[in-house]
Amino acid sequence: MTDLSAEHFEEQEQDAEATVARPRAQRRMAPIVPAQNIAGRALVLVIAIMTFLSCLTFGAVTLVRDTASVWENQISREATIQIKPVDGLDMEAALTQASRIAGEFPGVKSTRIIDREATARLLEPWLGSGLNIDDLPVPRLIIVTIDENSPPDFAAMRAAITPKLPSASLDDHRTWVDRLVAMARTTVTIGIAVLALMLSATVLTVVFATRGAMAGNGHIIEVLHFVGAEARFIAREFRRHFLVTGMKGAAAGGAAAVLVFIVFSWWSSRNMATPQADQATALFGNFAIGSAGYLGVVLMVLVIGALTAATSHATVVAYLSDIDVRQPDA
């Protein structure tokens, strides 16, 4: 009876020890810095706002660049011959002669004379309908379609047309193309500079947030550091938490920017027939940034998330190095 009781008590003690040990083995280790200290709503909101503005800037730069490229291609694809009416000039014969001379040059695909009706339609917004262009000294135009890969010699074309038709002038649109390219490059440069400033502000925000998180948990970090925890281990914990925080904010900001571009593209397509939409479409296209623009938004989200993690890592390593410098004996 005594032996049985002793064995029974030993079994109860072993079961109790196993019961106590089991929860300890299953208990999850808490992070070095609690999530609510570093993945706060304020930081996520700031990163989301900066990502939203960065994506809008990137999309605007893409839109301006694509629109300028379309303008440049359209302008460089054509040249214009303008013939001014003078006394004793047979306009129709002059148009035919100038068209024939331009069509003989290599690099000219075709020539097209703008007839009376088309010329009147061009002047209708300013002079009204029912215009008789024969009563006014209205210049007439010839559209010369050129080969972009091998354009004609415009200087030789002018030299061939001007002696025979003194009132004719050839415009190859080079001045407009040069100004357009300069404007587009300036706009893209300004956009890139604004984008760089926004990314810099994001980096500074993450630096201050990381230092604030470390200040609130400095005693834990210093104890871990002094007992032998490697700086890479501590920095990795911060980097993991800030990567999650940065990706949350960047994903929210990028999704908001994509939604804005989709709404503007839908609006421009629905209001295509209105004068306001026509003018906006002529200047900026249909507000569609294309696949390259959406891919750029995705890359922007990934870059800001990775930048957030890398900035926190560098800040933690610098903080621990500063501890070693201030307390070398420890």
Side-chain angles (χ1 to χ4, degrees):
M1 186 68 178
T2 305
D3 295 338
L4 181 60
S5 298
E7 291 177 359
H8 180 69
F9 285 132
E10 289 179 0
E11 291 178 357
Q12 288 183 344
E13 290 178 358
Q14 291 177 0
D15 293 339
E17 291 178 357
T19 303
V20 174
R22 190 177 297 113
R24 292 180 180 176
Q26 294 179 354
R27 183 180 300 171
R28 296 181 59 184
M29 296 182 63
I32 295 177
V33 181
Q36 61 268 22
N37 286 348
I38 61 174
R41 295 180 179 178
L43 182 58
V44 173
L45 182 61
V46 169
I47 294 178
I49 293 173
M50 300 305 296
T51 306
F52 175 74
L53 296 177
S54 300
C55 291
L56 284 186
T57 303
F58 180 83
V61 169
T62 304
L63 191 64
V64 170
R65 185 196 60 189
D66 294 343
T67 304
S69 178
V70 172
W71 287 352
E72 184 178 359
N73 291 333
Q74 290 177 348
I75 293 176
S76 62
R77 210 178 288 135
E78 295 178 347
T80 305
I81 299 176
Q82 177 182 266
I83 301 179
K84 298 177 181 179
V86 294
D87 294 337
L89 177 66
D90 187 352
M91 181 60 71
E92 297 300 328
L95 290 170
T96 303
Q97 184 180 7
S99 177
R100 179 182 55 79
I101 295 174
E104 294 174 352
F105 280 83
V108 175
K109 291 184 177 181
S110 63
T111 59
R112 179 170 61 91
I113 299 174
I114 304 299
D115 56 17
R116 284 187 171 86
E117 291 75 13
T119 303
R121 285 195 300 270
L122 291 174
L123 299 175
E124 185 175 342
W126 293 273
L127 301 180
S129 59
L131 175 67
N132 185 6
I133 62 174
D134 294 332
D135 298 336
L136 297 174
V138 178
R140 299 288 299 277
L141 300 176
I142 302 173
I143 304 300
V144 181
T145 304
I146 62 178
D147 187 359
E148 300 178 43
N149 298 323
S150 58
D153 187 353
F154 292 108
M157 188 180 298
R158 287 191 185 91
I161 294 176
T162 302
K164 298 179 180 179
L165 299 170
S167 63
S169 60
L170 174 65
D171 186 3
D172 59 357
H173 309 305
R174 287 294 94 191
T175 302
W176 292 103
V177 171
D178 294 340
R179 292 178 180 177
L180 182 62
V181 170
M183 181 195 69
R185 289 177 179 175
T186 303
T187 305
V188 170
T189 302
I190 294 174
I192 292 175
V194 172
L195 186 61
L197 290 175
M198 291 181 179
L199 293 178
S200 300
T202 304
V203 170
L204 293 176
T205 302
V206 174
V207 169
F208 288 126
T210 306
R211 289 191 174 274
M214 296 186 69
N217 301 271
H219 58 287
I220 301 176
I221 297 172
E222 291 183 3
V223 169
L224 290 173
H225 183 58
F226 291 147
V227 299
E230 295 183 356
R232 289 180 299 176
F233 168 76
I234 301 175
R236 185 170 61 249
E237 295 296 318
F238 274 83
R239 185 175 67 244
R240 182 183 299 113
H241 284 87
F242 270 97
L243 177 60
V244 174
T245 301
M247 290 305 299
K248 286 181 180 179
V258 170
L259 181 62
V260 168
F261 286 121
I262 292 176
V263 169
F264 270 106
S265 178
W266 173 82
W267 176 84
S268 63
S269 63
R270 289 293 299 270
N271 297 273
M272 193 70 71
T274 62
Q276 296 84 357
D278 290 341
Q279 293 178 4
T281 303
L283 290 175
F284 305 106
N286 58 353
F287 288 98
I289 59 176
S291 58
Y294 291 111
L295 180 60
V297 171
V298 174
L299 292 177
M300 189 68 62
V301 170
L302 297 177
V303 166
I304 290 180
L307 192 62
T308 304
T311 302
S312 64
H313 178 89
T315 304
V316 172
V317 172
Y319 179 83
L320 295 176
S321 300
D322 186 60
I323 291 177
D324 293 335
V325 172
R326 288 188 285 106
Q327 300 178 4
D329 295 338

